[in-house]
Amino acid sequence: MQDLFDAGAFAAGHPVELYRDLRRRAPVHWNSEPDGPGFWAVTRYADVYAVDHDFQTYSSEPTIMITDPLEGQSGMLGEARMMLMMDPPHHTAFRKLIRAEFTRPAAADRGDRMQALARQIVNAVIERGECDFVCDVAGEMPSYVIAELMGLPLDDGRELYKLTEIIHSAPESLPPGAGREAVMKMFGYASGVIAEKRARPADDLATRLLQAEVEGRRLTDPEFLLFFLLLIDAGGDTTRNLLSSGLLAMHRNPDQLAWLMADLPGRLGAAREELLRYTSPVIYMRRTATRDARLGEAEIKAGDKVVMYFGAANRDPEQFADPDQLDLSRTPNEHVAFGGGPHVCLGQHIARLEIDAILVEVLTRLQDLEIVGEPQWLASNFISGPRTMPVRFTPGARV
C-alpha cells in the first residue's frame, strides 16, 4: 500500500484511489513513519469531524505536523509556541488577539479593496497573453492581502510567500537545511518588523499584536515571531492552492465551467465551496492522543499520533453523493477544507473573498484561457496544489 507520509503519494494531487481504499478497508489506518513511531491516518468524514472537535482527547500539542520537533528545536524560541500548537484555554486566549480582524463583517469591509487588488493582478498579466498562473496570479492575492493587514510593503509579501513554499516542501525535495533556513529568514524579517513597528506604530495588525496583552502580559518577541510565521504561512495556503487546483479542475470538467459562466454572480458562492471540497488545499492536521480512546475499529493509545486527512474526508460517500464528481451546484456542502472545532481556519472569510475576487477577474477577463503543459505540483505531504501551471489566453486591455 502506498505510504501517506511519502510526498510522492501527492505528486499529482490527492491520492483519491488510496483514500477510497482506506475508507473501505481501514478508515483509521496505522501508517509507518521513517525515523518515527508511526501514526493513525483518519480518512472517514465522521472520524475526522470527531477528532477535530474533541481537543480534550486529541491535542494539538506538541505539533500539528506528523514529524515531531527535533531535539533542541523547540527551544529555538524559548518556551514560545505557535497558536496552532496550543489547546484551549491558551489557544482561545491567543486566538482572541487577532479574531476581530478576521470576522465575517471585518472581511466584508475589505471586499472592495480585494476586488481592486484582483484587478491589479490581472492587469499585470493581461497584455502578455500568457503567465504562470500560480506565481503570477493565484499567489499574488493572498500575499498582498496579508501584507496590507500586517502593514508591510506589497512586494515584501510576495517575497515572504516564496519562503512559505520552501517551508511546506518535503525536506527530501530541497537542499539540506533549506527549510530551516527559510524559517530563519522569515524570523529575521519579522524581527525587523518588531523594530519598525515599535519605533513607528501604525494602524495595522503587526502593531496591534505588539501592543496586545494575552493572559495579563504583552507578547514576547518569540511569540510575535511565531504569530508572524503563522499569519504569513496560513494566509496564502488555501487561497493560492484553491485557485490553481480549482482552475485546473474546472478546465478538466468543461461542463461545470460552462454551468458557472452561465450565471457567474449567482453561482459563484456554491462553486467556490465545491472547489474547496474537491481540491482540499490542506492535506492533513495532526493531533496527539491525551488518553486511550476508540476511533472506529481502532484502539488509540495515549501518546499516539492521529492524523486527519481532510481530502479523504471531503470525498467520503457517506457524507457526499458522488464525491469524486466535481459538482459546482452541490448543496448542502459541509466540507472540512477549513477544518473544524476550536482550530477552524480563522482566515476563512477573507479567503473566500480573495477566491471570489480573483475568479471573477480571471474568468471574465482572461478570454480563451487554456492550461499549456502539465502542472508541476508542490512536493509536499502537507499542502496540495500546483507549484507551477503555465496558462495562455487572449491578450486584452488593462482596466
Side-chain angles (χ1 to χ4, degrees):
M1 177 176 290
Q2 200 167 11
D3 179 9
L4 283 172
F5 187 83
D6 180 10
F10 304 89
H14 288 279
V16 174
E17 292 184 6
L18 175 57
Y19 288 160
R20 186 185 304 121
D21 186 48
L22 286 173
R23 282 193 308 267
R24 179 178 55 82
R25 293 192 312 101
V28 185
H29 162 71
W30 184 256
N31 199 105
S32 61
E33 176 191 359
D35 305 316
F39 58 92
W40 294 104
V42 184
T43 54
R44 193 164 51 190
Y45 183 97
D47 295 332
V48 166
Y49 185 94
V51 170
D52 219 6
H53 285 74
D54 184 2
F55 67 87
Q56 293 94 343
T57 303
Y58 303 102
S59 173
S60 296
E61 301 178 13
T63 179
I64 50 86
M65 307 301 293
I66 293 174
T67 304
D68 286 321
L70 297 175
E71 189 69 29
Q73 190 179 57
S74 58
M76 184 171 60
L77 294 174
E79 298 299 315
R81 288 179 294 146
M82 186 178 286
M83 184 178 70
L84 271 183
M85 300 174 189
M86 300 176 183
D87 297 318
H90 298 302
H91 171 265
T92 308
F94 275 75
R95 190 176 170 104
K96 282 181 179 178
L97 295 181
I98 58 173
R99 185 173 57 192
E101 304 284 344
F102 296 97
T103 62
R104 193 188 301 270
D109 287 343
R110 297 182 177 274
D112 289 345
R113 177 56 179 155
M114 290 186 197
Q115 290 170 14
L117 284 172
R119 194 173 307 115
Q120 173 184 329
I121 290 164
V122 169
N123 277 343
V125 302
I126 195 167
E127 295 174 3
R128 290 158 44 185
E130 60 183 9
C131 69
D132 185 318
F133 188 80
V134 180
C135 64
D136 293 334
V137 179
E140 295 285 80
M141 173 64 96
S143 301
Y144 287 165
V145 170
I146 197 63
E148 287 200 341
L149 274 170
M150 297 292 283
L152 312 176
L154 297 191
D155 284 345
D156 288 7
R158 183 188 294 117
E159 294 304 310
L160 291 168
Y161 147 67
K162 294 176 183 177
L163 294 177
T164 68
E165 187 176 68
I166 296 171
I167 292 168
H168 285 315
S169 295
E172 60 271 19
S173 71
L174 300 169
R180 180 181 174 84
E181 181 182 349
V183 171
M184 296 312 296
K185 285 182 178 178
M186 185 82 76
F187 287 161
Y189 183 92
S191 295
V193 173
I194 292 175
E196 169 66 22
K197 299 303 179 182
R198 282 185 176 149
R200 286 169 285 278
D203 182 19
D204 54 49
L205 183 54
T207 299
R208 284 191 283 280
L209 275 173
L210 289 168
Q211 296 176 347
E213 289 194 357
V214 59
E215 299 173 335
R217 59 174 179 80
R218 289 282 180 93
L219 286 182
T220 65
D221 286 3
E223 285 171 336
F224 177 86
L225 296 181
L226 289 173
F227 243 125
F228 186 90
L229 174 61
L230 172 62
L231 289 166
I232 297 296
D233 202 5
D237 290 339
T238 300
T239 301
R240 178 177 69 242
N241 293 293
L242 180 281
L243 287 168
S244 304
S245 301
L247 184 67
L248 179 63
M250 288 190 289
H251 276 262
R252 288 176 173 173
N253 295 270
D255 61 317
Q256 292 298 301
L257 181 56
W259 176 86
L260 174 59
M261 295 307 294
D263 180 10
L264 184 58
R267 296 174 174 178
L268 183 58
R272 176 229 305 135
E273 296 306 309
E274 174 67 351
L275 291 172
L276 282 162
R277 181 198 73 85
Y278 191 81
T279 66
S280 296
V282 177
I283 294 172
Y284 77 79
M285 285 284 173
R286 166 193 159 180
R287 301 291 184 257
T288 302
T290 61
R291 56 195 177 200
D292 293 354
R294 186 176 183 85
L295 188 62
E297 299 300 315
E299 296 291 343
I300 311 294
K301 299 298 182 185
D304 283 356
K305 302 177 185 183
V306 180
V307 180
M308 303 171 287
Y309 281 89
F310 298 122
N314 280 335
R315 299 288 185 108
D316 188 344
E318 293 296 314
Q319 179 69 20
F320 304 99
D322 299 318
D324 296 328
Q325 175 66 44
L326 180 69
D327 178 7
L328 297 182
S329 67
R330 187 183 300 273
T331 184
N333 196 340
E334 299 296 327
H335 62 76
V336 289
F338 287 118
H343 283 280
V344 66
C345 177
L346 192 59
Q348 61 176 302
H349 303 305
I350 284 180
R352 286 183 167 100
L353 288 172
E354 292 174 350
I355 291 163
D356 290 357
I358 285 288
L359 284 179
V360 168
E361 289 293 312
V362 167
L363 295 177
T364 58
R365 296 182 58 205
L366 300 185
Q367 300 296 321
D368 308 315
L369 187 146
E370 57 179 330
I371 297 168
V372 292
E374 195 64 24
Q376 301 298 308
W377 289 74
L378 184 66
S380 175
N381 67 0
F382 182 61
I383 297 295
S384 177
R387 181 173 55 83
T388 63
M389 191 169 77
V391 297
R392 187 166 53 221
F393 44 86
T394 301
R398 294 159 57 92
V399 297

